[in-house]
Amino acid sequence: GRLIVDDEIYTEVHGIGPLDGSRAQRCINELKKGPHRFRAEYLEAGGNRGLAIGWRPKSQKHWNWLTEESGPVAQQHESIIIKPAGDRPVIYRNFIEGATSRAIGVGFPGGLNLAYSADYLAPALIWTGTFMDGAQKWLARGTDKSSPAGEKIIPLATARALPTTARFKGYKLDPAGNPTFSVQIGDQILLDSWRAESGTLIRKLTVIGSALELQIPQPPGITITGATARATLTPGTPLTLTYRWN
C-alpha cells in the first residue's frame, strides 16, 4: 500500500500483515496552506482487509483519521533529540528517510542539517530546524528509517550521477567538526566540504587530478549561488556554493 499526495509518494507499506500498528509507516512533510489531492493505493489480498490513514500536526499527539477504521498506533517513545554540542556539528550514521541505507547525517549549529548519501556520492537532503529524533533507534528495535525531525526538507539527489567507477572513500572532520566527503573517480579525487554560516549552508567542491564536470541540482525551495545546474571543476580552483532557503 502507498499514500500519494500531490502526485508524490509520501510513504509505503510493503507486504501484508495485521492492522495492529506494528506495520504502521509514518512520514513528515511540509504542506502549504490550502487544498492538496491525495490518493491511497493498496492490494486486497485474502482474509480480513483493512486500511487506516491518519494525520496530525507535529505539535500534537492526537491523530486525525481519514478512514472509518482507526489504526492502532504502535507505542511512541519520548523523543531523544539529537543536536549539535555547542558550536560543533553532530554526526548521525544510520538509515535516513529520503536518503539511502548508507546515509551520513550532519546537524550543524543554527538549525541547518544535511544527509549525505555514500551510495549517490552526493548530498541527498538538506533541512532546517531539529536534526534527528534518536528514540526510534535507541529505545526500540530501530528497523525503520529515521525521518528528519525538522522542516523545509529539500531533496538534492535522488539517484547517482557520477560514473559507475566512482567510489566513496569516507569523510574527515576539520577541527571545528565540519565534514569533507571524499569520492575517487579513476585518477580524480572529489572533495565535498560543508559548513553552516549565517543561516546558509556553504559547500566547497575541490577536484584533484583532472577537470571534472558535475551536476548541481537546483530544486525549488532554495536558492543556490555560485553555480548553475552543471559546473566544471578545475584542479586548484575550488568552487564554493551557498544554499539559502527561500
Side-chain angles (χ1 to χ4, degrees):
R2 62 166 62 103
L3 176 65
I4 301 171
V5 181
D6 294 336
D7 299 321
E8 177 186 351
I9 297 176
Y10 269 35
T11 188
E12 293 181 315
V13 179
H14 296 275
I16 58 175
L19 191 68
D20 60 2
S22 62
R23 302 173 64 252
Q25 294 294 324
R26 303 171 188 83
C27 62
I28 300 174
N29 291 76
E30 182 178 7
L31 294 175
K32 294 182 179 179
K33 184 177 180 180
H36 295 270
R37 182 178 65 240
F38 76 91
R39 182 172 78 254
E41 297 180 349
Y42 65 100
L43 171 68
E44 287 194 0
N48 296 328
R49 304 174 178 95
L51 175 71
I53 303 174
W55 71 277
R56 66 178 174 88
K58 289 182 61 178
S59 60
Q60 299 180 11
K61 295 184 177 181
H62 174 72
W63 287 84
N64 304 286
W65 294 98
L66 304 179
T67 49
E68 292 183 1
E69 190 166 2
S70 62
V73 179
Q75 180 182 2
Q76 296 294 293
H77 298 283
E78 184 176 349
S79 296
I80 302 177
I81 300 301
I82 304 171
K83 58 184 179 180
D87 294 331
R88 188 176 183 84
V90 61
I91 304 295
Y92 178 79
R93 298 191 59 176
N94 220 310
F95 302 144
I96 298 176
E97 189 72 40
T100 63
S101 58
R102 293 199 300 161
I104 302 163
V106 187
F108 294 96
L112 301 178
N113 310 289
L114 162 74
Y116 184 94
S117 168
D119 299 296
Y120 296 157
L121 307 177
L125 299 172
I126 56 175
W127 68 97
T128 63
T130 306
F131 177 48
M132 285 284 176
D133 183 352
Q136 182 182 14
K137 298 294 183 183
W138 297 339
L139 300 180
R141 295 180 63 187
T143 55
D144 294 334
K145 292 182 178 180
S146 298
S147 298
E151 301 83 31
K152 297 184 178 181
I153 302 169
I154 304 290
L156 294 180
T158 57
R160 182 184 175 119
L162 291 174
T164 56
T165 55
R167 296 289 182 269
F168 181 64
K169 304 300 288 184
Y171 66 94
K172 292 184 178 180
L173 304 180
D174 68 11
N178 297 307
T180 294
F181 304 98
S182 178
V183 177
Q184 184 169 8
I185 315 160
D187 63 348
Q188 300 164 307
I189 297 292
L190 174 64
L191 302 178
D192 193 346
S193 302
W194 292 79
R195 60 186 174 87
E197 181 179 298
S198 302
T200 64
L201 285 177
I202 309 297
R203 181 186 188 188
K204 185 175 75 171
L205 293 165
T206 306
V207 65
I208 301 172
S210 55
L212 175 67
E213 189 175 82
L214 195 66
Q215 290 185 6
I216 308 295
Q218 307 272 335
I222 56 172
T223 298
I224 304 174
T225 57
T228 57
R230 297 195 71 87
T232 299
L233 302 181
T234 303
T237 307
L239 175 65
T240 300
L241 309 176
T242 301
Y243 291 74
R244 186 185 306 275
W245 277 259
N246 297 336

